[in-house]
C-alpha cells in the first residue's frame, strides 16, 4: 500500500492575492485609489488613539513596516474579525514602540 505524501504549504502572506494592495517581495504599498489610502489612514487613526506613544511610533514607522501592519490587519480582519485584527495591530505598534524607545526615537 502506498501512502500519499502531501507537501505542507509554507505559511504564505495571504494579502498578496489582493490586486493592487501589496508588492509580494518588499511590501510596498501599491494602492492607487483613494479608498485604499483612506483604509490605511483610518487604521493609523485608530491605532494612534491609544496615546502619545502610539502616535509617535506611527509617525516614525518606516513605510514598509506600516504597510505590513495594514496588510496583515486587513487579512486578519477578513479571516476572523476586526477586534482580533485591531489587537494584533496594536501589539505590532507596541513592539515597534519598544524598539524606537531603545533607539531614542520615542
Amino acid at each position: 500500500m502506498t501512502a500519499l505524501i502531501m507537501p505542507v504549504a509554507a505559511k504564505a502572506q495571504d494579502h498578496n492575492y489582493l490586486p493592487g494592495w501589496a508588492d509580494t517581495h518588499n511590501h510596498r504599498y501599491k494602492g492607487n485609489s483613494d479608498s485604499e489610502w483612506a483604509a490605511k489612514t483610518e487604521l493609523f487613526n485608530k491605532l494612534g488613539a491609544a496615546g502619545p506613544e502610539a502616535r509617535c511610533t506611527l509617525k516614525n514607522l518606516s513605510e514598509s513596516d506600516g504597510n505590513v501592519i495594514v496588510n496583515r490587519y486587513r487579512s486578519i480582519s477578513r479571516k476572523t474579525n476586526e477586534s482580533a485584527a485591531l489587537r494584533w495591530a496594536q501589539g505590532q505598534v507596541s513592539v515597534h514602540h519598544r524598539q524606537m524607545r531603545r533607539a531614542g526615537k520615542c
Side-chain angles (χ1 to χ4, degrees):
M1 185 169 178
T2 57
L4 274 178
I5 298 175
M6 300 292 286
V8 177
K11 185 176 179 184
Q13 295 175 339
D14 62 325
H15 61 80
N16 294 333
Y17 73 86
L18 294 175
W21 185 254
D23 181 307
T24 59
H25 298 291
N26 60 14
H27 302 288
R28 257 184 296 165
Y29 183 77
K30 295 177 100 179
N32 57 4
S33 74
D34 292 337
S35 65
E36 289 175 345
W37 283 110
K40 185 174 183 180
T41 301
E42 181 182 343
L43 175 60
F44 274 41
N45 287 339
K46 285 180 186 178
L47 295 172
E53 295 87 5
R55 287 190 294 276
C56 177
T57 301
L58 293 169
K59 187 175 91 176
N60 290 297
L61 198 61
S62 72
E63 184 177 351
S64 60
D65 286 340
N67 291 338
V68 168
I69 290 172
V70 172
N71 291 333
R72 187 70 181 143
Y73 166 84
R74 287 172 57 111
S75 171
I76 294 170
S77 183
R78 276 191 324 276
K79 290 179 177 178
T80 57
N81 59 49
E82 188 174 347
S83 297
L86 192 56
R87 281 191 306 275
W88 178 86
Q90 289 167 334
Q92 292 302 301
V93 170
S94 295
V95 167
H96 285 286
H97 176 70
R98 285 192 295 275
Q99 293 169 346
M100 288 181 190
R101 191 175 59 213
R102 278 187 295 237
K105 289 183 182 179
C106 286

